Amino acid sequence: AGKDWELAPRVCRVQSAVMGVTETDLLEEMDLHSVECLNQAAGKDWGNALKQGYREDPGIFCQSDDDEQLVLTIPFRQIVNLTSIAIQGPSDGTAPKTVKVFINKPNLSFENTSKKASASFVLTPEQVTSGSVIELDFTVFQNVRCVSFFVDDNQGGGEVTNVSKIVVNGATVHTTNMTELKKC
């Protein structure tokens, strides 16, 4: 389950087939009103790394505040299967280095990030500055209601971490929306 991988970069694809599933950017499936980010600097919040338009601008960031660590929790509007992620940051040493990914932990905090993650990665400077896509273990990342990222440290070992872009790829799980059912 939780593994450290030396990751080979690949070009980001808008849509691809992984395990017979069509993979897309899940931005539209994110419940952006319920996203939480712990230790973000005022005026440099999670929206800079997640929201369309902001995340395409490499000059704006989600920035850590008191130290280099961040916890970002993203709930989805419906159940999804995750296939890959991409995390991007600047080349000045403030980009994320060690990242743990947790699923279905809506109340993740710094106190419980030491628990076993669904996956963990040590990103190289080249991977994080280019925003290389990181494949996820499809068998682990199924039936996801929320995904959380714990950024433990950054490339330069400094007190501030900057994240310019996070992309979460996958597919929705087709389920019945019980609120849309009508009584007979």
Side-chain angles (χ1 to χ4, degrees), residues 5-180:
W5 289 305
E6 185 64 30
L7 306 167
R10 77 172 170 90
V11 177
C12 183
R13 296 176 287 189
V14 175
Q15 289 191 342
S16 64
V18 176
M19 301 284 294
V21 174
T22 300
E23 163 185 271
T24 60
D25 181 346
L26 292 173
L27 179 63
E28 291 184 12
E29 299 304 326
M30 294 176 185
D31 182 0
L32 295 178
H33 297 291
S34 300
V35 171
E36 290 186 10
C37 187
L38 304 179
N39 194 37
Q40 67 186 354
K44 299 193 180 203
D45 66 20
W46 61 266
N48 293 341
L50 276 183
K51 290 182 179 178
Q52 193 73 41
Y54 293 91
R55 70 182 189 177
E56 283 71 37
D57 183 341
I60 59 174
F61 311 103
C62 172
Q63 186 176 78
S64 65
D65 190 20
D66 292 329
D67 60 22
E68 72 281 6
Q69 296 183 332
L70 285 166
V71 172
L72 176 67
T73 300
I74 306 165
F76 295 99
R77 293 183 181 147
Q78 61 181 311
I79 298 171
V80 297
N81 293 336
L82 305 183
T83 53
S84 65
I85 59 171
I87 301 172
Q88 192 168 6
S91 60
D92 63 2
T94 63
K97 181 177 180 182
T98 307
V99 179
K100 290 183 175 183
V101 184
F102 297 85
I103 57 171
N104 300 328
K105 305 273 187 226
N107 299 314
L108 189 70
S109 66
F110 290 107
E111 289 75 37
N112 53 17
T113 56
S114 61
K115 295 186 181 194
K116 187 173 182 179
S118 301
S120 64
F121 306 100
V122 177
L123 302 170
T124 67
E126 295 78 24
Q127 289 170 322
V128 76
T129 55
S130 68
S132 296
V133 173
I134 303 161
E135 299 291 340
L136 299 173
D137 182 344
F138 187 74
T139 60
V140 173
F141 288 89
Q142 293 186 40
N143 297 315
V144 177
R145 289 178 176 80
C146 73
V147 61
S148 299
F149 298 92
F150 168 56
V151 178
D152 192 24
D153 56 10
N154 58 48
Q155 297 293 325
E159 289 292 311
V160 174
T161 297
N162 287 309
V163 181
S164 57
K165 185 175 190 176
I166 296 177
V167 178
V168 180
N169 295 310
T172 57
V173 175
H174 297 289
T175 58
T176 302
N177 184 343
M178 300 306 280
T179 62
E180 293 177 358

